[in-house]
Structures are given as C-alpha cells and as structure tokens.
Amino acid sequence: MRLSTLPVTIRTAAVAATAGIGLLATAACGPTGSSAAPAAGTPSQVSPTSASSPSTAPSAGPAKPSAAPAKPSQSTPSGAKRPTVHPAGDAEGAMRELSRLQKTGWFNPNRIEYSDDAVTALKQFTRWLNKGFVAPNGAWTAAGEAAVDRANNGGPAL
C-alpha cells in the first residue's frame, strides 16, 4: 500500500516515527557515524508533522544564538504577546530565527506541519502568524483549524 493512500493521521504517524528513528540514530552515532560525539547543533530545522503528532529533524549545523531578542508586537486574545519575526533570506539565518521562535513557544513543528526548508518554513510561520492562525503554544488557533479544514476539502491553500 502506498503511503499517499493512507489516512492523514496514519501518514503523519509514519512520518513522525521515521523522523524520530533518524534523530535517535543520528544522536547515537554522532555526526560522523563512527562514535557517539556530543552534537554541536540543536534541532532547529522543521519537518513534516501534524497538529497531533510530534516530530523534529536535526539541524544541518550548529545553531548560532540570535542577536536580537524577541520583541512583542501585538497582543493576542489570550493576552500573550505575539513575537516579531525577523525575516532571513538564507537557510542559516532562517534556522536561527526558527530556533529563537521555538524557544518562545510560538513556533512548534510538533503541532503544525511546516516545510522542510527553513526559509520556506519561516515564511509559512510568518504568514500564518499574521493571519491569526498560530496560537501562543505553537498550535493552530480555531481560525487556523478552520482554514486547514477548508484547504483539505478543496478550498484555498494556506
């Protein structure tokens, strides 16, 4: 049976399990595959997930700390301050920004499926945050869930 013919929840679980096994293998073998060396980077690259299944992919290199702290720009109905997203045109800068946003809790690839490409994922996050689709915990808001349902049923893409 092809993976694309399975229901979304089963496909998501399969992707999450595959990514988790890869992450464990990378951590156990180290970056060269010969010994368990401490990892220099942090998981900051996004991977496909859904709102209900956790999964992250290891980063391609060490994450550098962001020079600019998160600045609140707007308040959400729950009272949490929306982060300011600093656009990045390169993959390394996008990974740093996503890592910073992940530390604030707003960007959570375990709750929302983002692109594997860090630059694209940062653009997705920014677009969805500006539309009010991302909750302070990194999950979909009610408006975001409704938009996903519409997109899954032939409506406009997110």
Side-chain angles (χ1 to χ4, degrees):
M1 179 179 266
R2 292 180 46 161
L3 185 62
S4 62
T5 61
L6 294 173
V8 173
T9 54
I10 295 173
R11 278 192 308 225
T12 303
V15 169
T18 304
I21 291 169
L23 185 61
L24 290 173
T26 302
C29 295
T32 61
S34 61
S35 65
T42 60
S44 61
Q45 189 175 15
V46 295
S47 68
T49 63
S50 76
S52 63
S53 65
S55 174
T56 58
S59 71
K64 297 177 184 169
S66 177
K71 297 177 185 174
S73 61
Q74 294 179 351
S75 184
T76 62
S78 66
K81 300 288 183 177
R82 280 184 40 186
T84 299
V85 180
H86 305 287
D90 63 327
E92 196 172 313
M95 284 191 288
R96 280 194 307 271
E97 182 65 5
L98 290 172
S99 178
R100 182 186 69 80
L101 292 165
Q102 194 169 14
K103 289 176 187 171
T104 67
W106 280 86
F107 176 77
N108 188 343
N110 295 330
R111 294 180 170 234
I112 296 178
E113 181 176 344
Y114 294 96
S115 171
D116 288 335
D117 177 65
V119 174
T120 304
L122 184 59
K123 288 178 183 178
Q124 288 174 327
F125 174 79
T126 303
R127 183 173 62 246
W128 297 339
L129 180 69
N130 291 338
K131 288 183 176 186
F133 293 169
V134 181
N137 65 355
W140 292 115
T141 60
E145 287 179 6
V148 169
D149 287 340
R150 283 190 304 274
N152 287 339
N153 292 310
L158 291 175

